[in-house]
Amino acid sequence: MILEARNLSVAYPLPRGLISRPAPLTVVHDVSFRLERGKTLGIVGESGCGKSTLGRALLHLLPAAKGEVLWAGENPAQMAPETLRKARAKRQIIFQDPIAALDPRMTVLKSLTRPLATFEPGITRAESRDRAAEVLQRTGLSADYLARYPHELSGGQAQRVGIARALIARPEVIICDEPVSALDVSIQAQVVNLLLDLQEDLGLALVFISHNLAVVRQMADEVMVMCLGRVVEQAPAEAFHLSPQHPYSQALRQAVPEPDPLAERSRRGKALQGELPSVHAPPPGCVFASRCDRARPECRTTRPELAPRGAALVACPY
Amino acid sequence: MLEIKGLTVDFRVEGRMVRAVDGVSLSIAKGQVMGLVGESGSGKSQVLYALMGLLAENGRAGGQALFQGQDLLTMAPRALDLLRGKRIAMIFQDPMTALNPYQRVGDQLAEVLFHLPKAQAWERAVAMLERVKIPDAAARARRYPHEFSGGMRQRVMIAMALLAEPDLLLADEPTTALDVTIQAQILDLLGELAAETQTAILIVTHDLGVVARLCDRVTVLYGGRVMEEAGAEALFEAPRHPYSQGLLAATPRMEAPLAPRMTTIPGTPRAGAASLPGCPFAPRCALVTDRCRKETPQLIEGIACREVTR
């Protein structure tokens, strides 16, 4: 298993006041999954659901508050510094805002070769330039782009550079945090296909974080739906898209506007009502109860655990 | 209600004029929702800014934009002031930057009704917040924008736009920054509004799903020019322009058989296309001919492409 989470929880220290000590605010609760080479885990959910925090914890950029992350069976928190540095090279990330993710004062060449300076300190200049040109070509940009600065790139080109930078250290896992959300539709499809091609050629395992279910459908083998830091459903992608089980998954699915006016007409006036509870005051019961039209009194008091239903795990007993 | 004829927008950049919008024409009737669709750089937002007199300092609008018979583009600033915020309202993509962070939400809303006594204006503001489904509106009105979630801020913006009961609402990507569940709420709200109050809406978006849910008609922009204008159902069922076809094919769907790869439009948009002769989509088009590169196709019967109308 190239990447695994076991009952992983992640917390941020939350300042409480001048005198009292910061209290941890847990924003990701009890996440478990196993990801193989060449496969994609899609993580979906609304803003504030903890999906990006989870992504950072999987890279060991944030510590686990409880549970553990395993990189090819080993816990990065217990690695010796040198082993950790080598292991980090194999785990990269791509960000949502492709231009902000690049240093405006660095040429593409410099941005691309920075990871090599860290992960392969002995490498010569000529070698690292060749590697940069090679990964750039893999992402569909010619070597001419090596001399450019981020402001000279379009969003789509900058995201290709972001992907090339993630590839240069020859990773096994890439965390893609909303990699196409900021791109135009015609460019989004190109970048999705690029990620699929790279995955096929290089056997990459991907964690694809997105709020766009239609894009996740194209990318993922397994889907994990998060709400307020908790997994409410985890299922093989095909089964999930045929029939999402949790009421929250169903609501998300209904909310994605389909480019089809006839189908959309029947959905008008049926938007999910109610407000998302605050992460600072999570409800004692089900995280979705305040917006669920099928909620029962016990849903507001007792939190349902993830339990198997068919091929899926669903945190809703009804 | 609104009739735009041959709208152009030019910007002075380093001493020369660069065209961003080239000859956009469209009209919207009472109670109608028109979607203005395009990708970044297509000029779609500049169309709205031109109508509202909000172009950047170096920008200049040409052509005509008739609102109830008066040309918004040549109107004296004072006359325009009498329309803006009253007969014509606008909502923006990012409600946080469009609201005043130092002022209570209720006061910002009540300000729109400055001609009324203060207590009465406040009452109307609270009623409008209720109408856009802000829970506990009377208490919420005393709060500041940062105490609202993104979806609620957008509803506050809509409430503010509606207070003056405008005849025309201009919406610039009003749901792009929101989660899909909140987006669905806001789109429902705008739809109800158009139906109930007969407000005409011109909504700028890059998302064809949004158009499908809300709009009656669609204008597709590319490189500052109109490629196609059609009824929403007709456009989705049988897009005619190669760009509309490509855009629709590249939009990911939930309810369609899944192919191993997505359909793409090759290439990238060309910067400054509106300043150049020829069809702006020509470099990415499968049907391109030499003539497409030299001669700008005119919009005839809703389509600007000679190759598909021949």
Side-chain angles (χ1 to χ4, degrees):
Chain A
M1 221 41 62
I2 199 93
L3 181 67
E4 198 175 340
R6 287 188 187 163
N7 306 101
L8 175 67
S9 294
V10 190
Y12 290 113
L14 190 72
R16 282 194 298 188
L18 286 176
I19 306 165
S20 43
R21 266 192 296 162
L25 174 73
T26 306
V27 291
V28 172
H29 296 265
D30 203 16
V31 173
S32 300
F33 68 83
R34 295 154 67 87
L35 183 62
E36 286 173 52
R37 272 178 73 84
K39 297 286 182 192
T40 301
L41 170 71
I43 303 179
V44 295
E46 296 169 276
S47 356
C49 74
K51 54 192 193 297
S52 293
T53 300
L54 173 59
R56 279 158 182 71
L58 294 175
L59 289 172
H60 193 54
L61 296 172
L62 289 169
K66 278 192 200 131
E68 56 185 359
V69 175
L70 296 176
W71 291 355
E74 281 186 75
N75 185 343
Q78 289 162 6
M79 286 180 183
E82 188 54 20
T83 323
L84 180 62
R85 194 165 60 93
K86 290 210 170 99
R88 275 197 193 282
K90 304 285 172 211
R91 278 145 198 97
Q92 297 291 326
I93 184 166
I94 308 167
F95 298 97
Q96 173 170 1
D97 183 338
I99 296 188
L102 298 171
D103 187 321
R105 289 176 301 176
M106 281 190 193
T107 59
V108 168
L109 174 67
K110 195 137 187 240
S111 280
L112 288 180
T113 51
R114 266 302 280 272
L116 290 179
T118 310
F119 296 127
E120 296 171 39
I123 198 165
T124 68
R125 245 197 175 158
E127 260 179 291
S128 59
R129 194 183 187 286
D130 288 349
R131 288 270 290 277
E134 183 198 315
V135 285
L136 204 56
Q137 252 147 24
R138 276 217 95 107
T139 61
L141 294 178
S142 69
D144 300 344
Y145 283 87
L146 287 174
R148 301 221 188 159
Y149 285 90
H151 74 267
E152 299 173 288
L153 304 174
S154 69
Q157 289 163 348
Q159 194 57 294
R160 287 173 195 272
V161 172
I163 294 170
R165 181 177 58 181
L167 288 177
I168 199 162
R170 298 181 174 142
E172 294 165 343
V173 179
I174 299 181
I175 310 285
C176 309
D177 191 357
E178 300 267 14
V180 298
S181 309
L183 305 179
D184 278 319
V185 174
S186 72
I187 306 300
Q188 174 178 301
Q190 294 174 3
V191 172
V192 164
N193 286 353
L194 171 64
L195 287 170
L196 288 168
D197 289 343
L198 290 169
Q199 176 170 47
E200 200 172 282
D201 295 350
L202 307 173
L204 294 170
L206 302 178
V207 174
F208 193 87
I209 300 169
S210 177
H211 68 281
N212 187 333
L213 276 177
V215 175
V216 168
R217 179 176 180 231
Q218 187 74 47
M219 291 292 307
D221 299 291
E222 189 182 0
V223 177
M224 182 188 265
V225 182
M226 293 182 71
C227 183
L228 268 179
R230 292 182 190 270
V231 176
V232 297
E233 181 165 355
Q234 199 166 341
E238 208 169 318
F240 178 81
H241 288 293
L242 279 176
S243 79
Q245 297 292 314
H246 195 282
Y248 178 62
S249 313
Q250 293 166 359
L252 275 184
R253 173 86 161 70
Q254 281 297 313
V256 181
E258 184 81 354
D260 175 353
L262 294 178
E264 283 305 313
R265 202 137 299 168
S266 65
R267 290 178 177 175
R268 284 182 186 173
K270 292 186 186 156
L272 194 59
Q273 298 301 321
E275 297 299 322
L276 192 69
S278 157
V279 280
H280 296 277
C286 173
V287 284
F288 186 56
S290 64
R291 292 186 290 168
C292 183
D293 56 4
R294 279 166 275 171
R296 306 175 183 200
E298 56 269 33
C299 295
R300 297 178 199 280
T301 51
T302 319
R303 178 164 28 252
E305 297 295 326
L306 273 180
R309 186 188 297 178
L313 290 171
V314 186
C316 178
Y318 306 113
Chain B
M1 183 67 61
L2 177 71
E3 192 171 8
I4 303 175
K5 291 181 194 166
L7 176 71
T8 58
V9 176
D10 296 276
F11 291 98
R12 181 174 294 282
V13 181
E14 289 163 4
R16 64 194 185 94
M17 297 306 275
V18 177
R19 183 145 287 194
V21 173
D22 190 45
V24 167
S25 299
L26 60 89
S27 58
I28 311 172
K30 215 172 166 180
Q32 204 175 50
V33 185
M34 166 71 88
L36 191 54
V37 179
E39 300 181 74
S40 348
S42 65
K44 57 190 190 301
S45 295
Q46 298 306 333
V47 170
L48 293 197
Y49 294 153
L51 296 180
M52 286 296 259
L54 294 177
L55 288 176
E57 194 113 296
N58 60 342
R60 208 183 57 210
Q64 265 191 330
L66 301 175
F67 171 73
Q68 298 172 338
Q70 294 174 279
D71 189 352
L72 296 173
L73 303 181
T74 53
M75 201 175 269
R78 286 204 65 108
L80 193 57
D81 280 345
L82 292 175
L83 292 178
R84 286 190 295 202
K86 298 183 192 68
R87 310 270 42 94
I88 309 176
M90 183 157 175
I91 52 180
F92 298 88
Q93 178 173 349
D94 181 357
M96 194 58 200
T97 54
L99 293 167
N100 181 347
Y102 296 112
Q103 204 181 12
R104 290 177 203 276
V105 161
D107 286 327
Q108 298 189 46
L109 264 74
E111 219 173 59
V112 177
L113 304 170
F114 60 91
H115 54 282
L116 293 180
K118 216 168 170 207
Q120 206 181 333
W122 180 272
E123 215 170 276
R124 288 267 303 276
V126 171
M128 190 53 81
L129 287 175
E130 268 164 14
R131 168 112 199 267
V132 298
K133 296 178 187 136
I134 298 281
D136 202 8
R140 287 274 178 182
R142 304 197 173 281
R143 299 189 172 269
Y144 293 89
H146 75 268
E147 299 176 277
F148 288 67
S149 67
M152 276 206 268
R153 274 178 219 140
Q154 194 55 285
R155 276 179 271 172
V156 167
M157 282 274 292
I158 293 175
M160 193 184 288
L162 297 189
L163 262 182
E165 297 168 0
D167 299 318
L168 174 66
L169 180 65
L170 306 176
D172 187 14
E173 301 259 13
T175 60
T176 303
L178 305 176
D179 281 312
V180 282
T181 53
I182 311 296
Q183 164 169 287
Q185 291 175 1
I186 300 288
L187 294 178
D188 276 357
L189 187 64
L190 291 173
E192 282 165 28
L193 163 74
E196 282 169 28
T197 63
Q198 291 294 299
T199 303
I201 301 179
L202 176 57
I203 177 172
V204 160
T205 178
H206 68 279
D207 186 342
L208 285 175
V210 168
V211 173
R213 183 158 296 188
L214 186 65
C215 299
D216 306 309
R217 297 196 68 80
V218 195
T219 299
V220 181
L221 280 190
Y222 188 85
R225 298 198 181 112
V226 176
M227 300 287 103
E228 183 167 358
E229 196 272 337
E233 269 153 55
L235 184 95
F236 285 92
E237 195 156 310
R240 294 158 74 202
H241 196 283
Y243 174 63
S244 315
Q245 291 171 359
L247 192 62
L248 199 60
T251 302
R253 288 167 181 264
M254 296 299 290
E255 322 268 353
L258 196 60
R261 293 291 183 272
M262 291 180 73
T263 308
T264 62
I265 304 176
T268 47
R270 173 167 66 153
S275 305
L276 304 168
C279 173
F281 189 59
R284 303 174 77 184
C285 185
L287 303 179
V288 65
T289 64
D290 269 352
R291 199 171 161 205
C292 301
R293 295 197 184 90
K294 289 178 201 136
E295 249 179 73
T296 306
Q298 298 302 307
L299 186 73
I300 299 165
E301 286 168 10
I303 179 153
C305 180
R306 284 177 298 260
E307 295 310 304
V308 297
T309 46
R310 227 178 12 192

